């Protein structure tokens, strides 16, 4: 158990809908990262927050947004969902925002868009 | 831009065989960090090791060992005396000070250990 929690574990929804994925980092960790794992794109970095502020953006679509709250939990919002958004979404946390900080991953949320 | 290549998409071995998973990386950062993660069938990503670019000492942890060679930009992972529980997808990843501290992952190697 990495100490990172993600809810829900599974999510099934329809095209055009909006969903929110939630992540609670390990106790004391200030950085939260979101990654998407799909069959065609592999594991891709989406976005990072550090202590409430956005730190880095990767291949995140404009239809996706995220935030980190004062209690350090983070939410990833996916809107106008398309079939291609079906994937496993991981949240990871680390103690700092440096390249050497190990990132510990949550169990993931499997999103299925029908 | 950073890139990680795991040329072996799938490896199948029989229990107790040794197996090496290859990882080759590209980066313009002078200081960077290499990682290995394991993704068992249950789906979570488990951190295994971090290696700094300025430390080329190889590392051994039980049946696991890692060979970092800067000259060939490789960070290979060897499992000695493989066990069925080692069956998983293994990912090599890279982060760098200038490219941002997000992880760039390779495509993964699926290891199947048969009894």
């Amino acid at each position: 158990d990495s100490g990172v929690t993600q809810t829900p574990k599974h999510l099934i929804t329809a095209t055009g809908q909006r969903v929110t994925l939630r992540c609670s980092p390990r106790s004391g960790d200030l950085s939260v990262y979101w990654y998407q794992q799909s069959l065609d794109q592999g594991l891709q970095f989406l976005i990072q927050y550090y202590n409430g502020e956005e730190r880095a953006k990767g291949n995140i679509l404009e239809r996706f947004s995220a935030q980190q709250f004062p209690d350090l939990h983070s939410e990833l919002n996916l809107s106008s969902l398309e079939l291609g958004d079906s994937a496993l979404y991981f949240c990871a946390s680390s103690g700092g925002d440096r390249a050497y900080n190990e990132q510990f991953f949550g169990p993931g949320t499997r999103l299925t868009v029908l | 831009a950073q890139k990680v290549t795991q040329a072996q998409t799938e490896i199948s071995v029989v229990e107790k065989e040794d197996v090496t998973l290859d990882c080759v990386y590209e980066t313009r950062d002078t200081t960077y960090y290499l990682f290995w993660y394991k993704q068992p069938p249950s789906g979570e990503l488990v951190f295994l090791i971090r290696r700094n670019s300025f430390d080329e000492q190889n590392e051994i942890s039980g049946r696991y060992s890692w060979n970092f060679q800067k000259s060939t930009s490789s960070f290979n992972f060897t499992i000695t005396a493989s066990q069925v529980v080692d069956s998983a997808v293994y990912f090599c990843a890279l982060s760098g000070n200038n490219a941002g501290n997000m992880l760039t992952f390779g495509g993964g190697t699926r290891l199947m250990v048969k009894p």
Side-chain angles (χ1 to χ4, degrees), chain A residues 6-8 10-22 34-37 44 46-47 59-67 74-90 108-113:
Chain A
Q6 288 186 250
T7 56
H10 300 278
L11 201 47
I12 301 174
T13 188
T15 55
Q17 295 298 306
R18 173 190 166 95
V19 296
T20 297
L21 313 184
R22 183 187 167 102
W34 287 96
Y35 292 85
Q36 179 195 60
Q37 184 178 30
Q44 287 205 315
L46 295 178
I47 196 164
N59 298 323
I60 187 166
L61 300 170
E62 283 190 16
R63 300 184 285 108
F64 295 1
S65 64
Q67 53 184 325
S74 177
E75 292 181 357
L76 179 66
N77 301 297
L78 315 176
S79 60
S80 302
L81 285 168
E82 302 175 0
L83 295 177
D85 298 328
S86 295
L88 187 52
Y89 291 85
F90 284 107
T109 293
R110 184 167 295 282
L111 173 66
T112 302
V113 182

Side-chain angles (χ1 to χ4, degrees), chain A residues 33 35 37 97 99-100 103, chain B residues 37 39 43 47 50 95 101 103:
Chain A
Y33 307 77
Y35 292 85
Q37 184 178 30
D97 65 340
Y100 57 74
Q103 295 180 27
Chain B
Y37 284 84
Q39 187 174 38
F47 167 78
R50 180 198 71 201
S95 68
N101 56 334
L103 293 171

Side-chain angles (χ1 to χ4, degrees), chain B:
Chain B
Q2 299 186 125
K3 186 178 177 182
V4 177
T5 302
Q6 295 179 254
Q8 305 149 309
T9 52
E10 212 167 277
I11 300 175
S12 182
V13 299
V14 176
E15 210 171 16
K16 295 184 185 173
E17 281 185 22
D18 298 347
V19 57
T20 295
L21 310 181
D22 297 333
C23 172
V24 174
Y25 62 91
E26 295 174 32
T27 181
R28 290 179 183 164
D29 285 340
T30 52
T31 301
Y32 52 90
Y33 305 87
L34 295 158
F35 302 80
W36 276 95
Y37 284 84
K38 174 182 179 179
Q39 187 174 38
S42 50
E44 72 274 23
L45 279 165
V46 179
F47 167 78
L48 295 178
I49 190 172
R50 180 198 71 201
R51 170 61 69 211
N52 309 328
S53 59
F54 45 86
D55 179 5
E56 289 194 63
Q57 213 171 14
N58 291 329
E59 184 154 341
I60 298 174
S61 175
R63 296 183 298 106
Y64 294 172
S65 63
W66 291 269
N67 182 355
F68 174 39
Q69 293 204 336
K70 214 167 176 176
S71 59
T72 56
S73 297
S74 66
F75 185 43
N76 297 337
F77 174 27
T78 297
I79 301 175
T80 303
S82 59
Q83 299 176 2
V84 173
V85 293
D86 295 327
S87 296
V89 181
Y90 291 87
F91 290 95
C92 181
L94 168 69
S95 68
N97 286 336
N98 293 324
N101 56 334
M102 72 287 290
L103 293 171
T104 298
F105 284 89
T109 298
R110 181 177 300 276
L111 173 65
M112 291 175 291
V113 182
K114 298 177 182 176

